[in-house]
């Protein structure tokens, strides 16, 4: 779900999170091989307006790679664990996105491609939002560029600083997203990822537990099927990867050979909704704003909306959202 401004240290237009002291998540030009000895890119996450444009471009030469690791079968304990009666009542099953320039929070509807302004956040005057995750209980969590995390009441938009302390975790900037603990439960966990590691955070204690390592920097999203996905823009080509939440290993990978050139990316965010992935990407250029891409699980990528009018830096969706 994460999120986030993508800056590139080695590029003059990008800074050195997601899913920098304001880490930027950028994207890799598919034919370009990253020379790790000469250039190292650090990116942050990067949302849309109500122009519901029809699909404009289709990329059909994607190359999904199936099932690199099988997840263990869930043990049938026979336990019944129903959610609270008001579960998901105060959280939309649509996608929440944040405009970097105004700190405004919007709802994005994947079915209509429209945006609905909810209001402006008043969390941190001095820094800007970098990533976002949405819980089932009516709260969103927003990481700002100084790596403080704020809880946002999605009904009132009231912000409260959490007890997360990066000075203690030394985890740095990260992308973030929720996934259920497995496909048989509504209970979920907040996951975060920086340029090397993926971890879980207990939002009662705000303690961080490292799950495993990643091959490069990423942003995260998850769903009610117990799936946790990462976007890895520094791979060649860029890819979406499903992560085993017990050890961080790769379960399956979707290659995106025609994703925008990394050097052109300003901000980026993504979520999974309705069985597809929704990518929010702003490329550099006067008068440009975020474009929206839809990526299917078989790797078909379509630009469904162009220049939606805002600069999406964070996107989040709760595990209340549909998975198909």
């Amino acid at each position: 779900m994460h999120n986030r401004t993508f800056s590139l240290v080695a590029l003059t237009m990008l800074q050195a999170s997601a899913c920098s002291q304001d880490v930027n998540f950028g994207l890799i030009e598919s034919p370009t091989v990253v020379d790790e000895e000469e250039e190292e890119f650090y990116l942050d996450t990067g949302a849309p307006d109500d122009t519901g444009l029809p699909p404009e471009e289709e990329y059909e030469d994607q190359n999904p790679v199936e099932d690199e690791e099988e997840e263990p079968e869930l043990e049938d304990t026979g336990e019944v664990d129903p959610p609270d009666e008001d579960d998901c009542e105060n959280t939309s099953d649509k996608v929440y996105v944040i405009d970097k320039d105004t700190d405004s929070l919007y709802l994005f509807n994947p079915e209509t491609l429209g945006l609905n302004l909810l209001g402006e956040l008043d969390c941190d005057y001095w820094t800007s939002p970098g990533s976002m995750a949405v819980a089932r209980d009516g709260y969103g969590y927003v990481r700002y560029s100084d790596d403080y995390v704020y809880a946002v009441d999605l009904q009132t938009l009231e912000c409260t600083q959490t007890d997360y302390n990066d000075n203690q975790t030394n985890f740095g900037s990260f992308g973030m997203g929720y996934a259920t603990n497995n496909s048989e439960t509504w209970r979920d966990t907040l996951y975060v990822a920086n340029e090397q590691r993926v971890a879980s955070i207990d939002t009662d204690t705000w303690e961080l537990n490292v799950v495993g390592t990643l091959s490069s920097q990423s942003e995260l999203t998850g769903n009610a099927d117990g799936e946790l996905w990462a976007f890895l823009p520094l791979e060649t080509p860029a890819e979406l990867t499903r992560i085993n939440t017990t050890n961080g290993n790769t379960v399956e990978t979707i290659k995106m050979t025609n994703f925008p050139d990394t050097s052109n990316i300003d901000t980026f965010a993504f979520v999974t909704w309705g069985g597809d992935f929704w990518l929010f990407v702003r490329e550099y250029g006067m008068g440009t704003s975020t474009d929206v891409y839809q990526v299917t699980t078989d790797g078909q990528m379509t630009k469904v909306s162009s220049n939606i009018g805002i600069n999406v830096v964070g996107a989040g969706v709760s595990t209340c959202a549909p998975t198909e």
Side-chain angles (χ1 to χ4, degrees):
M1 349 194 127
H2 31 207
N3 296 216
R4 313 162 49 81
T5 302
F6 289 72
S7 304
L8 307 178
V9 162
L11 302 174
T12 57
M13 305 172 75
L14 303 173
Q15 279 187 346
S17 122
C19 352
S20 106
Q21 310 317 317
D22 183 16
V23 173
N24 294 319
F25 285 77
L27 305 167
I28 288 296
E29 181 182 14
S30 52
T32 302
V33 177
V34 177
D35 185 341
E36 298 180 350
E37 297 181 358
E38 297 180 1
E39 296 183 334
E40 184 176 6
F41 298 108
Y42 289 92
L43 313 148
D44 203 84
T45 49
D49 98 20
D50 55 6
T51 57
L53 298 181
E56 297 175 2
E57 299 177 21
E58 290 195 359
Y59 303 86
E60 298 186 353
D61 58 339
Q62 311 304 317
N63 180 27
V65 177
E66 301 287 344
D67 299 330
E68 297 179 13
E69 174 185 300
E70 292 187 3
E71 291 184 303
E73 293 186 6
L74 299 172
E75 180 181 356
D76 184 6
T77 63
E79 296 179 356
V80 177
D81 182 23
D84 295 336
E85 185 174 337
D86 61 351
D87 181 55
C88 296
E89 185 175 290
N90 296 317
T91 303
S92 173
D93 63 358
K94 300 299 189 286
V95 178
Y96 292 83
V97 295
I98 301 176
D99 180 15
K100 175 186 177 183
D101 301 326
T102 65
D103 277 24
S104 295
L105 184 67
Y106 292 79
L107 272 179
F108 171 76
N109 188 336
E111 295 176 304
T112 65
L113 306 180
L115 285 175
N116 178 34
L117 174 63
L118 299 178
E120 184 176 337
L121 300 183
D122 186 21
C123 296
D124 189 345
Y125 178 80
W126 301 106
T127 61
S128 59
S131 185
M132 181 181 187
V134 175
R136 299 171 69 98
D137 61 2
Y139 280 85
Y141 295 104
V142 182
R143 180 190 62 78
Y144 274 71
S145 55
D146 57 2
D147 295 331
Y148 284 102
V149 177
Y150 292 82
V152 178
D153 185 321
L154 296 174
Q155 297 293 306
T156 66
L157 302 192
E158 179 182 357
C159 287
T160 305
Q161 186 175 324
T162 71
D163 291 332
Y164 178 78
N165 190 335
D166 190 63
N167 292 327
Q168 295 178 357
T169 65
N170 293 315
F171 197 72
S173 297
F174 52 76
M176 55 202 303
Y178 271 92
T180 55
N181 298 336
N182 59 61
S183 61
E184 304 300 322
T185 182
W186 59 276
R187 296 187 181 277
D188 54 15
T189 298
L190 176 62
Y191 293 93
V192 297
N194 59 18
E195 71 276 7
Q196 293 180 321
R197 297 173 293 169
V198 60
S200 63
I201 291 181
D202 184 333
T203 54
D204 290 327
T205 64
W206 289 97
E207 293 182 356
L208 181 144
N209 176 51
V210 174
V211 172
T213 59
L214 296 170
S215 57
S216 60
Q217 192 167 11
S218 71
E219 174 62 292
L220 299 178
T221 189
N223 61 28
D225 288 335
E227 297 178 349
L228 179 66
W229 288 85
F231 179 80
L232 298 159
L234 299 185
E235 299 302 298
T236 307
E239 63 188 38
L240 298 171
T241 297
R242 184 153 68 96
I243 298 172
N244 184 313
T245 57
T246 62
N247 55 26
N249 290 346
T250 295
V251 178
E252 63 178 301
T253 296
I254 300 171
K255 302 288 186 179
M256 297 189 296
T257 57
N258 281 301
F259 209 79
D261 185 343
T262 301
S263 64
N264 294 332
I265 300 303
D266 179 22
T267 57
F268 167 84
F270 92 126
V271 297
T272 178
W273 189 96
D276 294 331
F277 301 96
W278 302 83
L279 312 174
F280 303 90
V281 181
R282 180 185 182 273
E283 298 185 65
Y284 286 110
M286 292 294 293
T288 61
S289 60
T290 293
D291 298 326
V292 183
Y293 296 84
Q294 182 178 4
V295 182
T296 62
T297 54
D298 62 359
Q300 300 301 309
M301 183 169 66
T302 304
K303 182 190 286 188
V304 294
S305 190
S306 298
N307 290 322
I308 61 176
I310 61 175
N311 182 5
V312 175
V313 71
V317 64
S318 77
T319 54
C320 300
T323 57
E324 59 183 28

